[in-house]
Amino acid sequence: MIPVPDFIIKGNPIIKKNGRPVLVNRRTGRPFIGKSKKLKDAEVETIQDLKIQMREIAEPLPLTYKIHITFLFYRRTRARADLSNLYEFPQDVLQEAGIILNDQLIESHDGSRKL
């Protein structure tokens, strides 16, 4: 197995399902689930931080092969969160930052946990 580089996503883990506004498509008039300002800001900040970390990686990015990934979530609060909900944000920003080609390449989350 090829080792995957380590990346750190700073800040309290974001849950994408919380506080998402229902918006209406101007062209079609159909409602859709949008992104909150907090979520948009967190995505921008995290992607910028990941791109800085990418400069130190010798491996060509984006990763285009299947990977096994471990997420360690350190939470500031005792608020409950499903582990499966915590996976969405880091998977999406890893893709948006250009670290992985597609989050469908993630084969497993073995060893992931809340700390």
Side-chain angles (χ1 to χ4, degrees):
M1 180 167 46
I2 302 169
V4 176
D6 290 337
F7 290 93
I8 297 173
I9 297 174
K10 298 174 184 167
N12 203 33
I14 302 291
I15 297 174
K16 292 183 74 169
K17 290 183 178 183
N18 292 352
R20 296 188 69 176
V22 176
L23 305 173
V24 177
N25 183 311
R26 292 180 191 169
R27 192 169 40 89
T28 65
R30 299 184 80 185
F32 66 96
I33 305 294
K35 294 180 180 180
S36 66
K37 181 176 180 346
K38 179 180 175 182
L39 177 58
K40 287 179 190 176
D41 292 347
E43 284 179 342
V44 168
E45 185 176 326
T46 302
I47 289 168
Q48 288 173 346
D49 191 42
L50 288 171
K51 287 188 177 193
I52 292 168
Q53 293 178 53
M54 287 169 62
R55 294 179 194 154
E56 300 172 15
I57 303 299
E59 187 166 346
L61 297 172
L63 304 176
T64 57
Y65 48 84
K66 294 178 181 178
I67 61 172
H68 301 274
I69 197 163
T70 301
F71 293 123
L72 303 177
F73 297 102
Y74 295 89
R75 297 182 46 88
R76 289 188 193 137
T77 64
R78 293 188 187 266
R80 293 181 181 224
D82 290 345
L83 188 59
S84 60
N85 290 340
L86 291 170
Y87 291 148
E88 290 180 43
F89 181 78
Q91 288 179 159
D92 290 346
V93 295
L94 288 172
Q95 180 177 322
E96 289 294 320
I99 294 169
I100 56 176
L101 184 63
N102 190 313
D103 60 4
Q104 291 178 352
L105 293 170
I106 298 172
E107 288 284 297
S108 73
H109 296 101
D110 294 348
S112 294
R113 59 192 175 275
K114 298 183 283 185
L115 301 167

